[in-house]
Amino acid sequence: MNNHLSKVDGKALRMIRLIAREADRRGMAAYVVGGIVRDILLKRENYDLDFVIEGDAIRLARALAGPLNARLTAHGSFGTAVLKLPSGQRIDLAVTRKETYRHSGALPVVSPGTMQDDLLRRDFTINAMAIAVNRGRFGQLIDICGGRKDLLSKKIRILHAQSFMDDPTRIARAVRFEQRFGFGIERRTLTLLKECVRKKATQNVKAQRHFNELKKILCEPDPVRPLQRLHQLGWIPVLPAGTKVSFAGLRRLQTRVRKLGKMPWYNTFEQWWLIKFMVLIAQCTEHVVNGILSGIHIAKHERQSILQSRQIRHLGRKLSTQDLPASQIYQMLKSFTKEAIVYLRATASQEVVAQRIDRYLQRDMDMRLRINGDDLKKMGMVPGSKIGKVLEQVLCLKIDNKVKSKDDELKWAKLCLAES
Ligand code: CTP
């Protein structure tokens, strides 16, 4: 028997063995399943460990939380548990289950099922494989849908004709995997996918679920190809039909993002998907953007950044004017979120604008004074809004390199006060 886990890297393998030992002790059959199996066979890195268990997955997860020093979140009604390791890694454990759909686009109704049911409920053959981890079966591949053959022939294939109608989010998934791996969508699968688009079954799904898939596409190393392919197929998640998308703009952005990702400050920026989303909807009217945002849950800060990305683009011209002191640039940018500013940086065509934004993000944005309001009160200033104004004036001087030491700051504060 071929051990399909023999090539898994040391850390993941230790984790798998630990979970397997605990499952053996409790007499439960355990399998790694889904994306990780596909990626093991493709020899690609994958950090998501998904397990299915024939037995009480939550009880098993509870027993593992201590030894792994992990935080446990369990959903009793679904029989699923997530272990969050101190390193940030996630391990998902779920009881093997069957899923049925009451109507197209509905969330599935879940009931206990066999290992076979659990594979048959999945999206594509390449994602419907498992590897056993128990003693005596460790590393054994379970492939009842022909996933391995499709991996070899580079095909994305659904498991049954209703698959896209049951869960239209699979349209975006099919395209994402097709483009990520350089595969092709199998002929019948493509016909059914197109039929699902034509029947507008995508409208049966809550916008949030489509948005989750769109976000995954935006997080791909090259999101432009899947987006273009979806556009060609007649539907892009979340975007209303007929929305204009500038693929040239997205491609330009992709090149910039790659370059910026190597530069100081930007190399620790994590919200690139949001910048790509801003560019994707850049040509939408305000009404359309508000409609999109009303259907999805995103963090307040992300929502604010998206709305600001539409205002900040008008700053490009102002930021390119000659002889602009750094303090004026600071005043122009300070009310915008850093994501909105990165959007402007990544889409700006003029070098001078790029340089000015770089300086703002890398230096001036976090510039602080050594003095504070208490120092000014000690100098006899009456508490009130004036204190804030004086501090702001001194900060601007510091940004323009006119103030160095704490004594300088105090001296300038006195002068500003006398002038005001
Ligand atoms: N799945 C499915 N139908 C969906 C979403 C997920 O059948 N609409 C199944 C697939 O078997 C998939 C697994 O759930 O492999 C895990 O889903 P997800 O984490 O979204 O995808 P991965 O395959 O792990 O892909 P990625 O490499 O992008 O994480």
Side-chain angles (χ1 to χ4, degrees):
M1 186 193 79
N2 201 345
N3 175 4
H4 289 276
L5 293 171
S6 62
K7 300 265 161 59
V8 172
D9 86 77
K11 221 161 120 201
L13 193 60
R14 273 197 299 281
M15 205 72 73
I16 292 172
R17 285 197 186 282
L18 184 92
I19 294 169
R21 257 199 314 278
E22 206 57 52
D24 279 337
R25 202 172 294 154
R26 289 175 157 69
M28 298 176 184
Y31 308 82
V32 283
V33 72
I36 182 154
V37 177
R38 173 199 71 215
D39 289 342
I40 288 171
L41 297 180
L42 286 173
K43 299 186 175 66
R44 285 174 71 104
E45 270 184 3
N46 185 324
Y47 300 102
D48 290 336
L49 274 180
D50 284 341
F51 283 84
V52 285
I53 313 293
E54 286 178 312
D56 189 342
I58 296 180
R59 195 159 66 92
L60 180 63
R62 219 169 263 140
L64 288 160
L68 289 172
N69 191 18
R71 218 180 61 227
L72 170 80
T73 318
H75 297 283
S77 48
F78 293 110
T80 59
V82 181
L83 291 167
K84 258 272 184 68
L85 270 49
S87 63
Q89 204 203 335
R90 262 174 82 108
I91 301 176
D92 283 75
L93 295 107
V95 60
T96 47
R97 63 184 194 250
K98 212 189 264 179
E99 285 180 353
T100 50
Y101 295 83
R102 286 226 176 89
H103 58 83
S104 169
L107 281 175
V109 178
V110 175
S111 56
T114 61
M115 180 62 211
Q116 192 156 342
D117 293 326
D118 200 278
L119 294 179
L120 292 173
R121 74 180 171 84
R122 291 174 185 267
D123 49 4
F124 311 114
T125 57
I126 61 166
N127 289 342
M129 291 180 279
I131 300 177
V133 302
N134 294 96
R135 202 176 21 239
R137 297 179 72 188
F138 191 83
Q140 183 191 338
L141 182 71
I142 323 287
D143 176 19
I144 56 172
C145 304
R148 202 169 176 204
K149 191 169 132 268
D150 283 337
L151 274 183
L152 288 171
S153 55
K154 301 180 178 240
K155 288 272 177 287
I156 306 295
R157 186 194 307 268
I158 42 172
L159 307 190
H160 57 89
Q162 265 303 103
S163 185
F164 287 122
M165 290 304 285
D166 281 347
D167 180 358
T169 66
R170 289 176 174 165
I171 296 173
R173 293 177 64 81
V175 169
R176 176 160 63 91
F177 293 125
E178 176 197 49
Q179 297 300 316
R180 182 199 289 175
F181 300 130
F183 284 15
I185 299 176
E186 175 269 332
R187 202 170 49 86
R188 186 165 154 273
T189 300
L190 188 60
T191 305
L192 291 163
L193 183 155
K194 286 180 177 166
E195 195 179 304
C196 188
V197 173
R198 194 171 41 76
K199 288 184 175 161
K200 297 192 170 30
T202 49
Q203 292 178 359
N204 304 333
V205 180
K206 288 235 167 79
Q208 183 66 41
R209 293 184 56 216
H210 284 315
F211 182 70
N212 295 343
E213 290 301 331
L214 176 63
K215 187 171 168 184
K216 285 185 190 173
I217 289 178
L218 295 173
C219 289
E220 290 283 315
D222 178 7
V224 187
R225 285 200 349 239
L227 288 172
Q228 214 156 7
R229 170 78 153 135
L230 280 165
H231 178 73
Q232 177 203 11
L233 290 166
W235 174 77
I236 294 182
V238 177
L239 300 191
T243 302
K244 277 204 193 119
V245 175
S246 163
F247 289 104
L250 278 167
R251 217 166 290 117
R252 260 195 316 275
L253 172 74
Q254 197 55 34
T255 313
R256 289 263 175 89
V257 169
R258 227 169 278 135
K259 282 191 192 147
L260 286 171
K262 294 180 190 141
M263 281 171 57
W265 195 88
Y266 298 97
N267 56 11
T268 54
F269 182 72
E270 287 180 346
Q271 295 279 76
W272 291 113
W273 76 267
L274 189 59
I275 310 300
K276 293 173 197 176
F277 184 60
M278 291 170 183
V279 172
L280 184 68
I281 60 169
Q283 296 187 42
C284 295
T285 62
E286 202 175 322
H287 177 72
V288 169
V289 172
N290 287 333
I292 292 172
L293 293 180
S294 68
I296 56 178
H297 298 284
I298 49 171
K300 209 167 139 198
H301 181 79
E302 292 172 347
R303 181 178 302 266
Q304 188 191 8
S305 301
I306 291 167
L307 295 172
Q308 286 190 352
S309 71
R310 310 178 62 78
Q311 300 154 6
I312 203 170
R313 52 192 177 194
H314 305 299
L315 272 189
R317 187 131 48 89
K318 270 199 195 162
L319 276 171
S320 65
T321 44
Q322 272 185 347
D323 302 325
L324 208 50
S327 60
Q328 257 185 56
I329 296 167
Y330 173 83
Q331 294 291 355
M332 278 185 213
L333 295 177
K334 71 173 185 188
S335 58
F336 290 98
T337 65
K338 61 176 189 294
E339 286 76 11
I341 297 169
V342 171
Y343 164 80
L344 181 61
R345 168 65 170 92
T347 52
S349 50
Q350 286 176 282
E351 189 51 33
V352 62
V353 177
Q355 282 172 3
R356 285 172 166 170
I357 294 178
D358 292 347
R359 177 186 155 133
Y360 173 81
L361 290 171
Q362 292 164 356
R363 178 182 182 271
D364 299 339
M365 181 175 73
D366 295 320
M367 184 77 83
R368 298 288 177 267
L369 290 176
R370 292 190 177 92
I371 57 168
N372 58 31
D374 289 338
D375 295 306
L376 299 195
K377 277 187 235 160
K378 275 185 215 150
M379 281 164 51
M381 253 183 99
V382 189
S385 65
K386 237 180 187 179
I387 289 194
K389 273 195 198 123
V390 168
L391 287 173
E392 180 83 10
Q393 275 174 293
V394 181
L395 180 64
C396 285
L397 289 163
K398 187 168 182 175
I399 287 170
D400 289 334
N401 292 326
K402 291 187 179 136
V403 169
K404 298 250 160 20
S405 64
K406 184 171 177 181
D407 283 347
D408 273 356
E409 290 181 11
L410 284 168
K411 194 180 81 197
W412 278 100
K414 266 187 212 152
L415 275 172
C416 292
L417 186 62
E419 273 172 23
S420 67

